[in-house]
Amino acid sequence: MNLNHLTVFLAVAQTRGYTQAAKRLGVDKGHVSRVVRALEAELGVVLLTRTTRAVALTVAGEQLLSRIAEPLAALESATTSLEDRPVTPSGLVTVTTTPDLGRTVVAPLVAAFRARYPLVRVRLVLESSVVALAATRSDLALRVGTLRPGPYKARKLGTLEAGFFASPRYLASRGSMKSVSELARHDGLWPSTQPGRKSFAAKKDSPPAAVECEDFGALLELARNAGGVALLPTFLAARDVAQGTLVRVLSDLTFPGTPLSLVTLPERPLAPRVVAMRDFLIEHVPTALTMKPH
C-alpha cells in the first residue's frame, strides 16, 4: 500500500474537497484526483462521491478514514519531531504580477530559483489588472503602486521609475529633444491617463499620443522600430539601452517612483516552498530593479 495515496485520501476526506486538499498538499488538483482513483482501483471500492458543491465519503470511505487517520497522524508526528531534520521545499508555488514585470524581472529569477530548488514547480499568473490572490490561487504577488488595505501581508521591495526612450534611428530622422515642450512635434507612445491607474501614464497636459496603448511591452516594440518616443518603466528599457537599441531622451525628467511590494496571504505557517520563493524574491528583485538606464 502506497502511504502517499493514503495521505492524499486523508487530505480530501478532512477538507471535503479536491481543491482544498491540493492546496494543503502543495500539488495540483488533477494529481489529487488521479491518486484517489488509483487508490479506489487498488482497494476495489468507491471511497468518495463528488457533487457540485462538495465531496462526500461513502461507507467504505468512512471506514478507511477511521482506520488511517490516527496512525498517519502518529507517523507524521514521529517524523516532524526529529531534531535537525532538513526540509527540502517541494510542490507548486504560484506567483502573480504584471506582464512586464513577469517577463523582464520574475522569469529570469524563476530560472535561478529552480536551479536552487529543483523540486519546486512554479506557476506564473501574469495579469495587467490587480486580482485577489485567492481568485488566482496564488501564493505570492508583486504589486505596483500604493496598496489598499486588505487581508494580506506586504513588504516593499523597491520603487519603479519611468522615462522617455527612443531609438537612434528615430532620433536621427526626427531630431533630438532638449525640453518637454518639444514632445509635441514627435510621435508619442504612451498609455492614457486614467483615474486610479496603478502604473505610469503621461501627464494630463501632454500632447496626444501617436499610438496609445496600455501595454508597455507593445510600446517598447514600437520604440525599437523607430515608431516614436515612448514612455517606459526604466527596468523595462534597461536592456535595450545597454545594447544601444534605445537611448533615453530628456534624461533629467524622471517620473516619481512607484512602490513595488511583495504580497502574501496572512497564513501561518507558510509552506516551505512559499517561504523559499518569498525569500528568493526579497533577495533578488531589488537588485534586478537597480539596472537603470542612463
Side-chain angles (χ1 to χ4, degrees), residues 114-146:
R114 292 210 69 254
R116 182 183 297 183
Y117 301 104
L119 298 181
V120 179
R121 295 175 294 111
V122 180
R123 174 174 169 256
L124 292 180
V125 178
L126 305 183
E127 297 280 356
S128 298
S129 57
V130 176
V131 292
L133 291 178
T136 55
R137 295 182 289 112
S138 298
D139 301 296
L140 302 162
L142 284 174
R143 295 276 170 79
V144 179
T146 303

Side-chain angles (χ1 to χ4, degrees), residues 244-263:
T245 52
L246 289 180
V247 297
R248 187 164 183 174
V249 297
L250 304 175
S251 57
D252 58 334
L253 176 62
T254 299
F255 282 66
T258 299
L260 176 66
S261 303
L262 179 65
V263 174

Side-chain angles (χ1 to χ4, degrees), residues 101 105 142-146 155-162 200 233-236 254-262 285-292:
L101 280 166
V105 176
L142 284 174
R143 295 276 170 79
V144 179
T146 303
R155 173 169 177 155
K156 183 179 177 181
L157 298 186
T159 56
L160 304 180
E161 295 180 347
F200 300 101
T234 53
F235 77 84
L236 191 62
T254 299
F255 282 66
T258 299
L260 176 66
S261 303
L262 179 65
V285 167
T287 302
L289 295 179
T290 59
M291 295 178 57
K292 297 182 179 180

Side-chain angles (χ1 to χ4, degrees), residues 64-97:
L64 181 61
L65 175 62
S66 67
R67 293 171 182 173
I68 69 170
E70 186 174 340
L72 286 180
L75 180 61
E76 181 180 3
S77 176
T79 55
T80 56
S81 64
L82 294 175
E83 295 183 0
D84 301 322
R85 182 174 66 93
V87 177
T88 302
S90 63
L92 177 68
V93 61
T94 300
V95 181
T96 181
T97 188

Side-chain angles (χ1 to χ4, degrees), residues 274-288:
V274 179
V275 172
M277 176 61 83
R278 180 199 64 189
D279 293 347
F280 195 88
L281 293 176
I282 289 173
E283 178 183 359
H284 293 286
V285 167
T287 302

